[in-house]
Amino acid sequence: EVQLLESGGGLVQPGGSLRLSCAASGFTFSSYALSWVRQAPGKGLEWVSTISSSGGGTNYADSVKGRFTISRDNSKNMLYLQMNSLRAEDTALYYCAYRYCDYWGQGTLVTVSS
Amino acid sequence: DVVMTQSPLSLPVTLGQPASISCRSSQSLVYSDGNTYLNWFQQRPGQSPRRLIYKVSNRDSGVPDRFSGSGSGTDFTLKISRVEAEDVGVYYCMQGTHWPWTFGQGTKVEIK
């Protein structure tokens, strides 16, 4: 059974940084792409970033390009999202998703506010 | 970016009756490999999204057969043959053919 557990969310001031983590289990981690998708409070879903199975290929939404970095550690079955220069509009529940969003975690809440 | 437009945005339905959600894309979702990467997701209140349908019409494991997907090119539909109480929630289409991946605005399904 695929399991994804996000962590690392919290309250951060505008301009600050945060690193999200996603612990994965139940599948051959190094064989599949992974993504981050976010959902602002009361709003719809927004794709943020995807990383290839090897980590050699990444894609980002324009809204986060240059500020966020997706990475993975295939030896630890971990996915990460380094978020810098955070803005109020980055406030959202951040989900880790497997492959083409086949499975989702429970999400971790990021609040950017002074 | 590919814009995904869902309609209606709100769908009150009677239990046991059918429901249909439309999703249109601003450009063709046919990928160079011949596949069309159009997915449908269900998000029940307070829960994470769950994928129901992938590549237009393929049901995910455990998804009841009252859910079906159809369409091609730029025009897609999710149908629920007989709505049950557990189907209440928001439904999203998403395209994974073109970067960036994009979602529709969501359709809220509620019971009349």
Side-chain angles (χ1 to χ4, degrees), chain B residues 6 10 19-20 51 55 59 63 71 74 76 86 93 107:
Chain B
Q6 290 183 227
S10 178
S20 179
R51 196 178 68 176
K55 288 193 284 186
R59 259 191 315 275
V63 174
T74 62
F76 306 93
E86 66 180 18
C93 60
T107 295

Side-chain angles (χ1 to χ4, degrees), chain A:
Chain A
E1 178 190 5
V2 172
Q3 292 196 335
L4 302 163
L5 184 61
E6 304 92 336
S7 61
L11 175 63
V12 61
Q13 293 189 339
S17 297
L18 213 53
R19 188 198 198 201
L20 305 184
S21 299
C22 173
S25 61
F27 62 100
T28 306
F29 186 83
S30 59
S31 295
Y32 297 103
L34 293 162
S35 299
W36 289 99
V37 179
R38 68 185 180 182
Q39 186 170 35
K43 302 297 184 182
L45 301 170
E46 180 189 15
W47 169 80
V48 172
S49 182
T50 296
I51 188 168
S52 65
S53 56
S54 67
T58 57
N59 285 277
Y60 297 93
D62 285 346
S63 58
V64 307
K65 201 173 294 183
R67 300 187 299 123
F68 290 12
T69 302
I70 191 171
S71 64
R72 62 192 294 162
D73 185 336
N74 286 349
S75 68
K76 295 181 179 179
N77 287 10
M78 294 292 295
L79 173 71
Y80 304 103
L81 187 67
Q82 178 66 43
M83 304 187 295
N84 299 331
S85 304
L86 283 161
R87 307 166 179 166
E89 54 265 36
D90 296 317
T91 294
L93 189 59
Y94 284 73
Y95 295 103
C96 167
Y98 162 77
R99 286 187 75 209
Y100 303 106
C101 298
D102 306 24
Y103 295 98
W104 301 57
Q106 291 303 301
T108 186
L109 182 62
V110 173
T111 303
V112 184
S113 174
S114 54

Side-chain angles (χ1 to χ4, degrees), chain B:
Chain B
D1 296 0
V2 177
V3 177
M4 305 297 287
T5 303
Q6 290 183 227
S7 64
L9 298 185
S10 178
L11 184 56
V13 294
T14 301
L15 287 173
Q17 293 300 302
S20 179
I21 300 170
S22 169
C23 176
R24 291 191 167 92
S25 57
S26 60
Q27 57 185 277
S28 174
L29 299 186
V30 180
Y31 190 55
S32 54
D33 63 3
N35 289 309
T36 300
Y37 294 97
L38 185 284
N39 300 327
W40 287 96
F41 298 89
Q42 174 195 60
Q43 187 173 32
R44 291 171 171 153
Q47 295 188 11
S48 300
R50 167 200 184 194
R51 196 178 68 176
L52 299 176
I53 302 285
Y54 63 96
K55 288 193 284 186
V56 180
S57 59
N58 297 276
R59 259 191 315 275
D60 273 279
S61 175
V63 174
D65 60 8
R66 63 178 181 275
F67 289 94
S68 64
S70 63
S72 62
T74 62
D75 200 348
F76 306 93
T77 302
L78 175 70
K79 292 183 179 177
I80 310 174
S81 59
R82 294 173 306 280
V83 171
E84 297 189 5
E86 66 180 18
D87 300 335
V88 165
V90 181
Y91 291 78
Y92 297 91
C93 60
M94 186 205 88
Q95 67 83 19
T97 296
H98 305 282
W99 297 108
W101 293 353
T102 46
F103 289 88
Q105 317 97 299
T107 295
K108 187 173 184 178
V109 172
E110 56 186 12
I111 305 300
K112 278 185 190 174

